[in-house]
Amino acid sequence: MNRRTFFQGAAAGMAVRNAARAAASPGLDAKIVRLNLLHTWTTTMSASQYRDTLYVAFSRDGITGHGEGAPIVRYKEDAESARKAVESVRELLLSSNPMRFSKTLAEVFQRIPGEWAGKASIDIALMDWVTQRLGIPLYEYFGLDPADAPVTTFSIGIDTPEITKQKTLEAADYPILKVKVGLSTDEPTIEAVRSVTKKPLRVDANEGWTDKEEAVRKINWLETQGVEFIEQPMPAAMIEETRWVRSRVHLPIIADEACERPADIVKVKDAYDGVNIKLDKCGGVLQAFRVIQMAKALGMRTMLGCMVSSSVSVTAAAHLSPLVDYADLDGNLLISNDPYRGVRVVKGKLTLPDKPGLGLTAAA
Ligand code: MG
C-alpha cells in the first residue's frame, strides 16, 4: 500500500466511523405533516380538506422508531401544540434508555399536561424502536396472533345523498361501512346508503343528538335498517340521558367522545355497552392496551378507532387490533399522500406487516 492509498483508506474509514457514530447517537425529529383528504370530510364537528399531524422520529444505535399523533380539535389540541409538547421532553427522551420505555413514558406523561396526540407520537416512536431492537413485530410484543385481526369498517362522512351514494359505491371493497350521522339529514343519509348496498352498517352520531326521546326514536329506526351499533349518540357529558336511552333500545351503544383514557371506563361502564379506543385520545399504544384490558375486564365491547392520519398511527393501532371486537382503522385510506406503507386492508380484513417494529416502509 502506498502513502496515498493508505491516507485515502484512512479517510474513508474515518468517514464510515463518523457516519456510524452519527447513526448511533440519539436523535429526535418532530415535524408537522399535512395530509390531504381524498374527499372533504364532514362530521358534526368539522369539515376540512386536509389534516395536520405530528410526526416523531426517534433514532438511536442505527434504529429509527416512527410515531405519529393526530391532534383532536375537540380536546383543544393542534399539531403545533403537539410539537411543542414533544420538544419540551426532548432532553429526557435523548438521555433515557429507550428499553426502559415504561419509566420514560411515565415521566413524559407526568411532565406534559394534556396533548394526548403528542404523547401518542412519542409512545408509538418508542414502541416502534423497542420492537425493532427486539427484532419482533409490535403485535408479538403483546403476544397477539395477527390472524385474529378484525375486518375494518370504511367510513362515509356526512354529505349530500348523491355523494353519499357515490362514496358507498366507491367503498365496494369494504364489507362493513361506518356511516356518520348526527345532523338533520340522518334518514336521507342512511336511505342513500341503503339504496345501493345491503352491507352491515355501523353508525356514529358524534354526540349529535341532544334530545333523549329523539335518540331512542332514531336508534330504533336504525335497528330496522340493518345497523349493528350506534356510536356516541348523545353528548359525552349526558351520561345519565345515555343510560336512559340504553334501557330503551336493543342496539349496543359505544362510547367514543365519552371515553378518552383508562379512568373514563369507570364513568361510562353503566351507560354504554362498549368503548371506541383511539391512540390519539389516550396517549399511545400502551395506554390503549390498558383501556382495552379494563373494558374487557368489565365485560364491555371494545373497538379500535383512529383519526384521519397516515399509516404510522393506523398501523400502530392495528397491531393491537387482534384484541378487539371491532375496528374502524381507515384513517390512512382517506388521504392521498400517505408517506408510509404499513397495515393493509385485504377484503376488509386488517393485514399486519410481519417485519420488526411497526413494519413500516416509505411510500414509493
Ligand atoms: Mg366516533
Side-chain angles (χ1 to χ4, degrees):
M1 185 187 289
N2 64 29
R3 250 172 84 89
R4 188 178 166 153
T5 327
F6 171 79
F7 280 117
Q8 276 175 348
M14 206 181 297
V16 168
R17 278 195 299 280
N18 283 345
R21 203 172 299 135
S25 65
L28 183 76
D29 186 25
K31 64 174 184 201
I32 296 169
V33 172
R34 177 154 294 183
L35 303 173
N36 298 318
L37 287 154
L38 289 164
H39 282 286
T40 300
W41 182 245
T42 307
T43 70
T44 56
M45 281 178 273
S46 62
S48 53
Q49 264 142 10
Y50 63 83
R51 291 289 168 84
D52 290 338
T53 66
L54 185 74
Y55 271 64
V56 166
F58 173 79
S59 306
R60 188 157 170 158
D61 303 339
I63 297 172
T64 298
H66 295 278
E68 182 186 17
I72 304 179
V73 177
R74 185 185 187 280
Y75 308 124
K76 303 195 169 44
E77 296 180 9
D78 59 43
E80 182 54 24
S81 65
R83 193 190 64 77
K84 283 189 183 140
V86 172
E87 287 299 340
S88 75
V89 291
R90 168 179 286 277
E91 290 314 312
L92 170 68
L93 294 171
L94 292 180
S95 61
S96 303
N97 177 350
M99 293 307 284
R100 297 180 188 158
F101 54 88
S102 283
K103 179 176 175 174
T104 305
L105 286 168
E107 180 74 27
V108 166
F109 275 57
Q110 205 199 335
R111 286 198 199 175
I112 301 177
E115 300 300 337
W116 300 98
K119 287 170 182 156
S121 68
I122 296 171
D123 162 286
I124 297 168
L126 280 182
M127 295 315 292
D128 183 27
W129 190 94
V130 165
T131 44
Q132 285 187 62
R133 162 55 74 82
L134 294 172
I136 55 172
L138 182 57
Y139 61 75
E140 233 164 62
Y141 173 83
F142 291 102
L144 303 174
D145 181 349
D148 296 335
V151 163
T152 181
T153 44
F154 184 80
S155 299
I156 309 282
I158 297 174
D159 225 309
T160 62
E162 262 326 293
I163 296 179
T164 299
K165 267 189 217 178
Q166 181 198 324
K167 286 181 181 175
T168 306
L169 292 170
E170 283 172 19
D173 289 347
Y174 302 93
I176 310 175
L177 301 178
K178 173 162 144 176
V179 186
K180 295 279 190 181
V181 300
L183 299 179
S184 58
T185 52
D186 298 345
E187 281 90 351
T189 297
I190 297 294
E191 282 162 3
V193 174
R194 272 290 169 249
S195 72
V196 287
T197 184
K198 292 190 168 74
K199 285 173 190 172
L201 304 179
R202 297 169 184 170
V203 167
D204 187 357
N206 282 110
E207 311 182 278
W209 306 328
T210 50
D211 179 303
K212 60 185 183 181
E213 312 264 357
E214 181 197 19
V216 168
R217 258 195 321 276
K218 290 205 173 183
I219 293 170
N220 285 333
W221 178 75
L222 288 171
E223 188 185 358
T224 69
Q225 300 299 307
V227 169
E228 293 185 334
F229 64 69
I230 175 80
E231 191 179 320
Q232 202 62 53
M234 305 195 77
M238 295 177 81
I239 299 255
E240 277 313 308
E241 290 84 349
T242 305
R243 194 197 314 269
W244 186 91
V245 169
R246 186 186 175 213
S247 68
R248 285 161 178 80
V249 300
H250 300 119
L251 288 188
I253 303 182
I254 308 291
D256 180 356
E257 286 83 354
C259 180
E260 296 165 43
R261 288 174 285 282
D264 296 327
I265 294 280
V266 181
K267 283 191 299 188
V268 302
K269 69 181 169 58
D270 298 322
Y272 293 84
D273 298 282
V275 289
N276 180 358
I277 298 132
K278 295 176 185 161
L279 306 193
D280 305 297
K281 271 196 304 188
C282 67
V285 172
L286 296 177
Q287 282 276 92
F289 183 77
R290 290 182 195 117
V291 186
I292 293 168
Q293 297 300 354
M294 283 181 70
K296 286 165 94 81
L298 291 166
M300 299 182 83
R301 300 181 195 213
T302 52
M303 168 175 176
L304 269 165
C306 63
M307 304 305 292
V308 171
S309 46
S310 80
S311 281
V312 178
S313 174
V314 173
T315 302
H319 276 272
L320 288 178
S321 72
L323 279 170
V324 299
D325 301 307
Y326 313 116
D328 179 32
L329 295 176
D330 63 348
N332 56 333
L333 306 173
L334 304 173
I335 60 172
S336 60
N337 59 336
D338 193 343
Y340 289 93
R341 298 279 176 269
V343 64
R344 288 181 308 124
V345 179
V346 180
K347 293 191 175 133
K349 189 176 163 66
L350 295 166
T351 307
L352 290 164
D354 58 5
K355 294 200 295 289
L358 295 178
L360 298 171
T361 50

